[in-house]
Amino acid sequence: MDDVDAFSGAVYLLVPGEPVLEMAVMAGLPRTFAAPWERLGLTAPVPVAEAVRHRQLVWVSGEEDMARRYPRISVVLPYPFALAAMPVATDRAVYGAVFVTWPGTHSPELPEEKRERLMSACGRLARRLERAQEKGDPVRPEPDLLAPAPMTNPAGTLGTAEATRMVARLPYGLCALDLQGRITFVNAAGADLLGLPVSALLGTQLWASVPWLNDPVYEDRYQAALVSQRATAFVALRPPSDWLSFRFHPSASGLSLRITRARAVAREGAVAFQHGDTGTRLVSISQVLSLAGSLTEAVGVQDVVQLVADEIVPAVGGQGLVMLGSGAGRLHVLGQRGYPDPRELERFDGMSLAEHTPGTHALRTGVPAFFASQRDLARLYPDQRPAGGMAAWAYLPLIASGRPIGTWVMAYTAPHPFPADERAVLVSISGLVAQALDRARLYDAKHRLAHGLQAALLPPSLPSLPGIEAAARYLPATRGMEIGGDFYDLVPLRGGEAAAVIGDVQGHNVTAAGLMGQIRTAVRAYTTVGQPPGEVMRSTNRLLIDLGAELFASCVYLRLDPARGQVVMARAGHPPPLLRTPDGTVRVLDLAGGPLLGIDPDAVYPTTEVALPPGSLLALYTDGLVESPGVDIDDALAGCADRLAETGDAPLDEVADTLVHYSGTAEERVDDVALLLLRATKSL
């Protein structure tokens, strides 16, 4: 820290046998400032974990950079400061990570000299840890590097009696605080303004000794001053009607506090949890905000399990997790982490809720159960066989909207007492987990429904046709219900001919999907009775208008004749197909066409005949393949054509996968994507 002018930092070490980083020593600031991250999983979205995962320095330039890249940290520590995190690693192993921080006035770039010094120091630390491991020397605990100023009289603090008299004569209050927030000096004016004698203030924290300052909002200003190394201020009401102004001036060794009278202003409130008789925080309001923020990011049930295992369980000191849900009167194991042999938990899957176990009891009654040791568990549940060598458990019911939906079981590898305040905190966190799990179960059910409906409406497979090779892809939009109105079909006809269709019903929801199914069925029916392409389009258009759905659809319909090497097409407001000829040239087919289906009952759809010699490849697609925000449609279509030209000779499934991947829609899609490839084979 001294070498790079940083004012705080910490060393994290990997916990043996666990994918967890644990803070070994903190310097420059109280450990409570990093309480939400004393223990964290390697997958956690925080700089030290990222430094270990990628084995490189992570630089966060300031408050805005932190909010953009690590929003959970920004919620808990919304102060201007810069941070660098480095891995502690050799070529053979990773031992942990280090972070250091600078005031918010630091330049937005980390100078190369400081970067090299930081990485060099972490390299030296890693080599020392490696040598210690080779020798079998354990890493011993080390106190945090905070040296509180000794409690002394004012003369000793200020140096001379004359200085003391000078400070005593000041018309405003003056206090000195150490890094822990404890008062090491206060003048008479300050004590008078605070309403307590000097003896009652020395050695105490301001917000602990002065009742009307017992509010985390005021403590937050002290934290902001230390983390940002900038002056901060607040105004507080001294009952019944006196408003006082407080201003912190921080340094690397503590803070000076000036107290004066001020005009009245409003104040805000907050809450913090205290841990038992020790007074140390188990989970603060900062941690609750961080945990709540992480749970809002969970989408499916497994996301909830992963987040609870990676961030909540390490934060409260647990080693094992089992998430149990309920359905049809039985327990179901939704997920687990931390158990060496997951098969040991299989006996709980499908267990009747009538069974006498702590998990079923917590779910049935909504009452949590805490077992500090195996003896405590055996006393109430003598037949319960602990899984995975665990020695203490917390069974926490998950209740959402007044309904018990499951049980969260947190396990410890050693006996663990559960003080009353810790139990209250765990139960409170369970409420957050329950809400997240309830949302996730609804999402998973909706996801299964959407995919099942989509699968039922689209052809399960494409028919095998003489002279024609076919491949298709369908990708739902990643926003909304993941279901849409894009469709395709391939219909074999007599005489070796075939009909193909691809279309797009407006919207991507259940209504669009239902209408899509009706249109696809109608097209197949009109095709089967022998209508020519233009008439199939006209009949489908009239049907769509008669249904009164108030939705439009685009469509391309074609009749294939492999024996003659020809295809007849009709188009209704749909993107034009791409044709790759046997020599590898790709062109956009400029087809005559009519309006979208469902607009004009008298619309006419002219047809176009195109040669399709053996080796030709026809690509039919919906606009989701080529349209994306910020990309010109002509450029996207040209890029798709170029990719088709390059890969058109590959197996058709590879061509389909390449086109979908190249389009940029593989991960994030605002619209459905349908693709139908038809290749005229050479063995007609």
Side-chain angles (χ1 to χ4, degrees):
M1 286 164 51
D2 290 342
D3 207 26
V4 294
D5 301 317
F7 73 90
S8 75
V11 177
Y12 284 81
L13 295 179
L14 279 169
V15 177
E18 295 183 55
V20 173
L21 288 167
E22 190 170 56
M23 186 183 291
V25 63
M26 180 90 181
L29 287 176
R31 183 177 287 247
T32 54
F33 280 43
W37 307 285
E38 282 201 41
R39 279 175 57 92
L40 49 91
L42 287 181
T43 60
V46 297
V48 287
E50 185 175 324
V52 171
R53 291 196 301 269
H54 301 298
R55 299 187 69 163
Q56 63 184 25
L57 185 144
V58 175
W59 168 245
V60 184
S61 61
E63 189 175 14
E64 292 184 2
D65 194 21
M66 184 70 78
R68 185 181 72 255
R69 296 166 57 191
Y70 307 100
R72 299 183 202 169
I73 296 179
S74 183
V75 167
V76 178
L77 296 174
Y79 315 125
F81 67 97
L83 178 146
M86 297 73 61
V88 177
T90 65
D91 292 337
R92 293 187 291 179
V94 179
Y95 296 92
V98 168
F99 80 79
V100 293
T101 65
W102 293 266
T105 54
H106 192 281
S107 65
E109 300 294 332
L110 180 64
E112 191 61 31
E113 180 184 7
K114 287 185 178 180
R115 183 182 294 266
E116 291 177 357
R117 288 182 178 181
L118 289 169
M119 293 302 293
S120 176
C122 288
R124 292 194 300 272
L125 176 56
R127 289 190 292 274
R128 292 185 181 185
L129 290 169
E130 186 175 61
R131 288 195 296 270
Q133 188 178 67
E134 291 172 351
K135 294 178 181 179
D137 295 336
V139 178
R140 294 187 295 274
E142 180 178 347
D144 291 343
L145 302 181
L146 283 174
M151 301 305 154
T152 182
N153 58 52
T157 302
L158 296 178
T160 67
E162 181 57 32
T164 303
R165 287 193 291 270
M166 179 193 72
V167 171
R169 290 193 295 267
L170 292 175
Y172 52 82
L174 185 65
C175 296
L177 281 68
D178 66 12
L179 294 176
Q180 299 281 7
R182 295 175 297 203
I183 300 172
T184 58
F185 168 77
V186 59
N187 67 354
D192 182 65
L193 288 170
L194 295 173
L196 291 173
V198 171
S199 59
L201 293 169
L202 288 178
T204 69
Q205 291 178 319
L206 192 65
W207 39 90
S209 57
V210 182
W212 44 273
L213 288 177
N214 186 15
D215 190 322
V217 169
Y218 304 141
E219 185 181 356
D220 174 76
R221 296 298 82 202
Y222 142 78
Q223 293 180 350
L226 280 187
V227 172
S228 66
Q229 289 291 290
R230 292 181 178 178
T232 63
F234 66 89
V235 178
L237 174 66
R238 174 186 167 179
S241 59
D242 293 328
W243 287 91
L244 301 180
S245 174
F246 297 78
R247 187 170 185 85
F248 288 111
H249 297 272
S251 72
S253 59
L255 305 95
S256 297
L257 173 62
R258 177 176 171 170
I259 309 172
T260 58
R261 297 190 180 276
R263 290 179 300 175
V265 297
R267 70 181 187 91
E268 298 175 356
V271 181
F273 299 105
Q274 297 294 323
H275 185 296
D277 298 329
T278 65
T280 60
R281 284 188 176 90
L282 169 70
V283 178
S284 67
I285 188 64
S286 297
Q287 286 174 286
V288 173
L289 287 171
S290 178
L291 299 177
S294 66
L295 286 170
T296 60
E297 298 176 7
V299 178
V301 169
Q302 291 309 310
D303 295 331
V304 174
V305 174
Q306 189 70 43
L307 278 167
V308 172
D310 289 348
E311 301 193 34
I312 296 181
V313 172
V316 296
Q319 288 79 42
L321 166 73
V322 183
M323 196 75 74
L324 300 171
S326 63
R330 295 188 177 276
L331 279 180
H332 300 285
V333 177
L334 303 177
Q336 64 82 29
R337 297 292 187 277
Y339 286 82
D341 187 1
R343 292 175 297 180
E344 290 188 78
L345 303 173
E346 290 179 359
R347 67 179 187 270
F348 299 109
D349 199 41
M351 177 181 288
S352 171
L353 294 182
E355 293 283 340
H356 182 60
T357 69
T360 56
H361 183 268
L363 196 151
R364 286 196 314 267
T365 64
V367 178
F370 300 91
F371 302 97
S373 65
Q374 291 192 15
R375 189 189 328 180
D376 288 352
L377 180 67
R379 186 166 57 249
L380 292 178
Y381 299 93
D383 298 329
Q384 186 78 12
R385 177 169 54 88
M390 298 298 177
W393 301 265
Y395 287 83
L396 302 154
L398 299 172
I399 300 174
S401 302
R403 298 176 295 107
I405 62 170
T407 302
W408 165 33
V409 185
M410 192 166 62
Y412 300 79
T413 54
H416 182 87
F418 294 96
D421 62 334
E422 181 173 336
R423 298 186 184 201
V425 170
L426 292 175
V427 170
S428 298
I429 294 175
S430 295
L432 299 176
V433 175
Q435 294 296 329
L437 182 62
D438 198 34
R439 291 193 306 269
R441 293 175 67 177
L442 288 173
Y443 172 84
D444 285 349
K446 181 188 73 173
H447 190 72
R448 289 192 298 269
L449 173 63
H451 279 257
L453 178 59
Q454 196 77 58
L457 294 174
L458 291 173
S461 62
L462 296 177
S464 178
L465 302 173
I468 294 293
E469 183 184 357
R473 295 292 183 271
Y474 174 80
L475 299 174
T478 55
R479 302 177 188 177
M481 278 199 66
E482 298 191 7
I483 188 172
D486 288 14
F487 66 97
Y488 61 85
D489 204 355
L490 184 60
V491 184
L493 302 174
R494 295 179 182 178
E497 293 186 355
V501 64
I502 191 165
D504 183 359
V505 177
Q506 176 188 10
H508 37 87
N509 50 38
V510 173
T511 302
L515 189 60
M516 172 266 283
Q518 291 176 297
I519 293 176
R520 176 175 163 253
T521 302
V523 169
R524 180 175 277 261
Y526 296 140
T527 298
T528 303
V529 299
Q531 289 188 357
E535 189 59 34
V536 169
M537 296 291 274
R538 287 193 294 272
S539 298
T540 306
N541 176 53
R542 288 193 295 269
L543 173 67
L544 188 55
I545 292 173
D546 291 343
L547 289 173
E550 298 184 355
L551 292 178
F552 308 133
S554 67
C555 186
V556 169
Y557 178 87
L558 52 92
R559 190 70 57 86
L560 296 144
D561 189 347
R564 296 176 56 204
Q566 289 184 333
V567 57
V568 179
M569 303 184 185
R571 184 163 70 101
H574 199 81
L578 298 175
L579 177 63
R580 185 182 188 272
T581 58
D583 63 1
T585 303
V586 175
R587 62 190 177 97
V588 179
L589 295 179
D590 185 16
L591 304 179
L596 291 168
L597 302 175
I599 294 179
D600 181 4
D602 300 320
V604 176
Y605 298 92
T607 59
T608 304
E609 188 172 301
V610 178
L612 194 70
S616 300
L617 176 57
L618 193 61
L620 310 174
Y621 56 91
T622 57
D623 54 8
L625 185 74
V626 293
E627 289 185 357
S628 57
V631 179
D632 184 80
I633 183 64
D634 292 332
D635 293 340
L637 188 57
C640 188
D642 291 342
R643 186 63 54 172
L644 184 63
E646 294 172 7
T647 63
D649 291 326
L652 216 52
D653 282 327
E654 291 185 16
V655 177
D657 291 337
T658 300
L659 291 179
V660 169
H661 178 75
Y662 173 77
S663 70
T665 60
E667 298 297 332
E668 181 73 15
R669 295 177 297 280
V670 297
D671 197 3
D672 312 46
V673 174
L675 174 67
L676 179 61
L677 300 179
L678 302 169
R679 176 185 282 158
T681 62
K682 297 179 180 180
S683 55
L684 295 177

